[in-house]
Amino acid sequence: MELKDDELTARLRTRLLEGLPAEALLTDPQVTASYATDMANFCPAGSPAAVVLPRTVEQVRHVLRTAHALRVPVVPQGARTGLSGAANATDGCILLSLVRMDRILEINTVDRTAVVEPGVVNAVLSRAVAEQGLYYPPDPSSWEQCTIGGNIGTGSGGLCCVKYGVTAEYVLGLDVVLADGRLLRTGRRTAKGVAGYDLTRLFVGSEGSLGVVVQAVLALRPAPPRQLALAAEFPSAAAACAAVCAVMEAGLTPSLLELMDRTTVRAVNALGRMGLPETTEALLLAAFDTPHAPDDLAAVAALCTAAGATAVVPADDEAESELLLKARRMALTALDTLRPATMIDDVCVPRSRLAEMIDGTARIARTHGLVVGVCAHAGDGNTHPVVCFDPADEEETRRARASFDEIMALGLSLGGTITGEHGVGVLKKEWLARELGPVGLEVQRAVKHAFDPLGLLNPGKLF
């Protein structure tokens, strides 16, 4: 006999409490509604039946077994700092928040690994390993809030990716609870290993659609020297991008190579009183953590000058270098203050096409009469055009959505991808299909079905 919604919800809560302490289960609608979305605007979200905050792997398994038995969808969540709606609730779902599973289980200085639970905050892990002379490189702009589980789920990047790569390159192994409650262990703790299919990589960036990560083995590196940075002003984004290409072609290895356009620079100054030069059309930040950082910065300065920089200002010391990096980390928050709402794109293109991407974005903004600020991980070709608008203005909202789509189309036309690090979630699911093509989409759906045949894990995301 089919149960009515209220009967199913009551039965679900009863079953969950059979394996959970009462404080781990939240059912007050006003409370559960506060967990229903991540930080992405204009992504639909449903009303969850419950929020569960487990502390142990067995509690997670109990939740998945219960959900599987009752055919209830489960949406895994971290700190909900994501920008694609990947953690948004669906109607009647269990929101499975992993933030209370926040233990660093092991830091091994010989093997250079860390074993962590998914709720560990990125910055907390980074500081803990630094105390042991080690380094965990992935550093999303939200690193003070975002969790390792969320970073794994969305395949996060960060400011240091130009030298050190993204989250996927540091995940050696995972413990994952599958849709039916079984526990799967993937990967390894060794420096090398090629046994079987690389299921670990498959889970990284899967946005909780294949299983729930409950433990991760992460690779660490020796702590590098402190970064030294410089800022270079350019009369155009094209000139700044030419400098980026020259730096990479010269074989230099900056630990950071970031770009902010004029709109972004002014927004950062207004928010943080950072004293950045507002007359510039594009500000390029470069940093090195090498033993000979001053020499490397001098080489970059010469390349910037040759590319047309109007000023190149090296930081005097580590503190001033950190201030420049702080300004870059503020960029998205600062742009969010320009209008009541923003839509944040995440288009990555080949470095050689970066100037076309940024100039094309500026044309789109002018065409639609909108403010669009651009900050970019320039060394990776990963741009973040931020469309600023007033959602109370229907016409402006229409133009904002149109410009957002045109920016993604531009990226694809330049040989790029619709997301470099934020993920697909709800926001870009239609565009994922365009990027993958029909055969690619069919194969990915087959993978999803193999892990989650009932379609209970994070339904409505990705595809």
Side-chain angles (χ1 to χ4, degrees), residues 19-39:
L20 294 172
E23 66 270 15
L25 180 63
L26 307 178
T27 57
D28 183 327
Q30 290 186 331
V31 175
T32 59
S34 69
Y35 286 80
T37 64
D38 63 15
M39 294 182 67

Side-chain angles (χ1 to χ4, degrees), residues 20 26 70 93 116 197 219 323 331 411 427 449 452:
L20 294 172
L26 307 178
L70 298 179
C93 76
V116 304
Y197 295 127
L323 193 63
L427 191 62
H449 183 75
D452 180 21

Side-chain angles (χ1 to χ4, degrees), residues 131-447:
E131 292 176 359
Q132 304 295 321
L134 295 170
Y135 177 42
Y136 181 67
D139 62 341
S141 293
S142 59
W143 77 308
E144 291 281 8
Q145 295 85 35
C146 64
T147 62
I148 296 299
N151 294 168
I152 291 170
T154 57
S156 297
L159 304 188
C160 71
C161 295
V162 62
K163 179 175 181 178
Y164 292 104
V166 295
T167 295
E169 294 166 67
Y170 294 88
V171 182
L172 297 177
L174 295 170
D175 283 7
V176 182
V177 179
L178 299 178
D180 59 4
R182 289 179 296 163
L183 182 63
L184 171 69
R185 178 160 290 169
T186 76
R188 63 196 194 280
R189 289 178 178 239
T190 54
K192 298 190 295 183
V194 293
Y197 295 127
D198 191 350
L199 297 182
T200 302
R201 280 276 186 143
L202 186 60
F203 281 102
V204 178
S206 65
E207 301 183 17
S209 65
L210 302 180
V212 179
V213 172
V214 290
Q215 185 173 293
V217 181
L218 305 174
L220 305 174
R221 292 193 174 209
R226 295 293 296 273
Q227 293 187 110
L228 288 179
L230 65 73
E233 302 177 47
F234 289 88
S236 68
C241 293
V244 170
C245 292
V247 168
M248 303 310 293
E249 191 171 21
L252 296 166
T253 56
S255 53
L256 175 145
L257 195 57
E258 298 286 310
L259 183 147
M260 295 188 287
D261 71 356
R262 183 177 185 177
T263 299
T264 306
V265 168
R266 290 188 168 191
V268 168
N269 275 344
L271 180 64
R273 302 183 185 275
M274 303 300 291
L276 300 176
E278 295 195 355
T279 55
T280 184
E281 290 298 319
L283 186 69
L284 189 66
L285 305 178
F288 285 86
D289 58 6
T290 57
H292 306 289
D295 294 337
D296 291 326
L297 286 177
V300 169
L303 293 171
C304 287
T305 300
T310 55
V312 180
V313 183
D316 290 332
D317 52 30
E318 293 175 7
E320 192 170 332
S321 296
E322 187 56 37
L323 193 63
L324 288 174
L325 305 191
K326 180 181 177 181
R328 171 60 186 87
R329 289 186 186 277
M330 289 175 57
L332 295 182
T333 302
L335 288 168
D336 202 38
T337 67
L338 298 183
R339 298 289 284 160
T342 57
M343 296 183 75
I344 303 173
D345 240 316
D346 174 36
V347 176
C348 191
V349 297
R351 283 187 290 260
S352 57
R353 312 298 296 273
L354 182 60
E356 296 171 78
M357 182 68 208
I358 294 178
D359 286 343
T361 297
R363 285 194 300 272
I364 291 168
R366 289 193 297 269
T367 298
H368 291 283
L370 294 167
V371 174
V372 180
V374 179
C375 53
H377 308 306
D380 305 323
N382 190 179
T383 67
H384 295 312
V386 180
V387 183
C388 307
F389 66 103
D390 183 357
D393 185 330
E394 291 185 9
E395 171 57 22
E396 189 169 274
T397 299
R398 183 196 64 77
R399 287 184 278 122
R401 290 180 179 275
S403 67
F404 185 85
D405 285 345
E406 288 176 26
I407 289 168
M408 281 192 285
L410 172 64
L412 290 180
S413 74
L414 295 174
T417 175
I418 60 168
T419 177
E421 57 187 4
H422 292 172
V424 175
V426 178
L427 191 62
K428 296 188 174 185
K429 56 188 295 186
E430 294 180 7
W431 282 93
L432 178 65
R434 301 189 199 188
E435 179 172 333
L436 295 178
V439 175
L441 192 61
E442 180 183 352
V443 171
Q444 297 225 2
R445 283 176 170 161
V447 171

